Each structure stands twice: as C-alpha cells, then as structure tokens.
C-alpha cells in the first residue's frame, strides 16, 4: 500500500515499520530509538538476531553522537561518498545503541542514503535503522512491487520509484590499519583508490574466522529455481544473459544489460522474475569481467545460486 510522506512520518512516530526508498534497494525502516519497532523488523523479515542493522543518518555529524572513535579518513570518505551507497562500520560507545541493532558487536554500521524522500524522513524522524525490505533469503527489493510481493499489498510503502543503483551499499570496515570491503556493493573497490591511496582489500566473507560482516554468512538473494553457472546453455532452457550474444534458439532470455551498471540495476528484478515465471532451472551466462562492479554482480549471482 503506497503511503504519503506525512503518513510515513506518522507511522514511524507510532513505532510502526514501513518500507522506504533508497538509491540502492528499499529498506524496512524503524526509528533507531524505538526498540518496539526494531523488534518488528526482525519478526517481519524472519531475520536472525545475529545479523546487525545499518543505521541511516542524514549527515556525517550524526555519527559523532554514537562513535567511540572515528577511524582515519572518516571525514574524507563521508565528504566524497555521502550521500551515497557507502556504509561505514564504526566503533561505538557502549550503551548508546540498542544491542538489537548492533547484534551485540562493539561497532555499528552507518550510511547516508541518496534519496530525497528518505533524506526528508531522516530530517523529521532522526536516524532510522533499515535492512533491505525483503524476507530473509529473498532477493533485495528494487521496486515497491517487490516489497509488496514479500510483505503483502497492505504493507505501507513510501514509493520512491525504481532504486537507481539496484545493488546494496558497499560496506567498509577499518581493520589492521586499512579500510577493507566486508560486503561488495554498488561502489567498486577502485573508486576508493584516489582518496585512500590504496584499493581496499576485499574480505572473504565466508572465512571460518569470526565474521566481520555477519550478514554475509546467511544465504541470500535466492530464487526458488536452480541457477546453473557453468557448462553450456541448453536449448529451450531459460537464460540470464546479455543482449548482444547468441544463445540457443527457443530459450527465453532475461537480459542483464550491456553495462555493469545496468546489470546491477536489473539483477534483483530478474531473480524475482525467475520465480514469477515459474522457471525451475535457469542457466546464467557468467562470462563477464572480473573487476569493478562486475565483481559485486558475480558475488550476488553465486550467492543466489547457493554456491
Ligand atoms: O544499501 C544498503 O545497505 C541497504 C539499504 C536499505 O540501505 N541496506 C542493507 O541492509 O543492505 P541489510 O540489513 O540487508 O544488510 C546490512 C549488512 C548485513 O550484512 C549486516 O551483517 C552488516 O550490514 N552489518 C550491520 N552492522 C554491522 C556491524 N556493526 N559490523 C559488521 N557488519 C555489519
Ligand atoms: Mg539484505
């Protein structure tokens, strides 16, 4: 159910959870200071309690209310990339943020989203926690329709159109004297090089050691269908691929698009279409570059395939 900006404010003030637009994916929002609404997020999504939430702020200054200390180049990073698809994990003072939000970690994740409606909401309500607005395990939602398909037609959604990036924020964590990427996202590693003087290392998410990004351990983005990522396409079998390539005749093709930006924009909708069209086995053309935003796309497809 699409709601107005005023309704969105009223519902949040009344400790209700609503879906909000961001430039990356839709979020399921609750005020940071409402334990009751935050509980509802975990229940609605069926989200494991061990998976902490990102705090959305409307300025870098707001982070100072919570931070224990600011890692080096915090100001440069936020000046360059906020508002935008960058999340920074920052050590926080104990007791200032609910342990529901941090999952008991000594740090919290912060980001300033680049969507005018959500920026206005943040201005009116204060910081909002918001995980992606999908049931745990499902692909992240990039349209209001995706949110409604997971939470029902009556679920309140502030409609901000199709998310312009279509891919979650990149998460950076300061460890061993450098910023590292703990979740690949809409910003590829190389965009940080001019500012940091190095390309942040990409942390292997599924290492058996204590995870830096707990969410990376859970299955994600998955359609019901089996995704086949190797071998050759078979005639008649549905394909996720690229417009300029030739595939066996008779196969329905879902197009990712020629550029990485377009592939990111379309990927989650394609994963949802696979189920909507009741495909049971889909071949994915993984023949694309191994750098930049393509790395994020590859990682998401592998996760969706359960690989
Ligand atoms: O683009 C985005 O980041 C979207 C939009 C709605 O802002 N949000 C999003 O939230 O993707 P979610 O909950 O789906 O993913 C947040 C990720 C999880 O993998 C979680 O484990 C990680 O952020 N995270 C949150 N707090 C953390 C912390 N203190 N340390 C390490 N990882 C953290
Ligand atoms: Mg998510």
């Amino acid at each position: 159910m699409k709601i107005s900006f005023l309704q969105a404010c009223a519902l949040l003030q009344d400790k209700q959870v609503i879906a909000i637009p961001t430039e990356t994916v839709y979020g399921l929002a609750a005020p940071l200071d409402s334990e009751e609404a935050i509980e509802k997020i975990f229940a609605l999504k069926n989200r494991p309690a061990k998976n902490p939430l990102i705090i959305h702020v409307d300025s870098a200054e707001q982070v100072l209310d919570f931070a224990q200390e600011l890692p080096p180049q915090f100001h440069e990073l936020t000046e360059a990339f906020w508002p935008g698809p960058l999340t920074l994990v920052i050590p926080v003072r104990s007791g200032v943020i609910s342990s529901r939000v941090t999952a008991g970690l000594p740090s919290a994740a912060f980001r300033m989203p680049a969507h005018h409606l959500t920026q206005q909401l943040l201005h009116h309500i204060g910081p909002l926690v918001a995980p992606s607005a999908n049931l745990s395990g499902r692909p992240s939602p990039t349209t209001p329709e995706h949110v409604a398909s997971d939470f029902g037609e009556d679920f309140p959604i502030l409609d901000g159109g199709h998310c312009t990036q279509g891919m979650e924020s990149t998460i950076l964590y300061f460890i061993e004297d450098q910023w590292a990427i703990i979740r690949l996202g809409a910003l590829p590693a190389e965009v940080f090089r001019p500012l940091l003087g190095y390309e942040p290392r990409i942390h292997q998410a599924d290492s058996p050691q204590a995870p830096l990004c707990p969410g990376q351990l859970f299955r994600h983005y998955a359609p019901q269908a089996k995704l086949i990522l190797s071998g050759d396409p078979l005639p008649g079998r549905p394909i996720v691929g690229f417009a300029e390539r030739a595939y066996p005749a008779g196969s329905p093709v879902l197009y990712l698009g020629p550029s990485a930006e377009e592939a990111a924009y379309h990927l989650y909708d394609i994963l949802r279409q696979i189920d909507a069209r009741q495909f049971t086995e889909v071949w994915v053309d993984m023949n694309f570059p191994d750098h930049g935003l393509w790395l994020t796309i590859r990682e998401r497809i592998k996760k969706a395939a359960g690989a």
Side-chain angles (χ1 to χ4, degrees), residues 45 47 131-132 134 140 168 183 220-221:
K45 273 186 71 97
R47 183 178 178 97
S132 51
N134 51 282
S140 296
E168 293 88 344
R183 180 181 70 180
H220 263 91
Y221 320 115

Side-chain angles (χ1 to χ4, degrees), residues 219 223-228 274-275 279-284 304-305:
R219 185 155 188 232
Q224 309 284 320
K226 180 169 188 231
L227 301 183
I228 299 160
I274 286 172
D275 284 344
F279 295 147
T280 51
E281 265 195 356
V282 179
W283 183 82
V284 185

Side-chain angles (χ1 to χ4, degrees), residues 161-182:
H162 197 303
C163 301
T164 53
Q165 304 276 346
M167 201 44 75
E168 293 88 344
S169 59
T170 298
I171 306 184
L172 289 185
Y173 187 104
F174 192 76
I175 181 171
E176 290 161 4
D177 284 333
Q178 288 211 334
W179 288 98
I181 293 180
I182 59 168

Side-chain angles (χ1 to χ4, degrees), residues 93-115:
R93 297 200 304 278
S94 81
V96 292
I97 297 171
S98 153
S99 63
R100 262 327 235 156
V101 172
T102 60
L105 295 171
S107 59
F110 295 91
R111 100 171 183 94
M112 180 178 174
H115 193 292

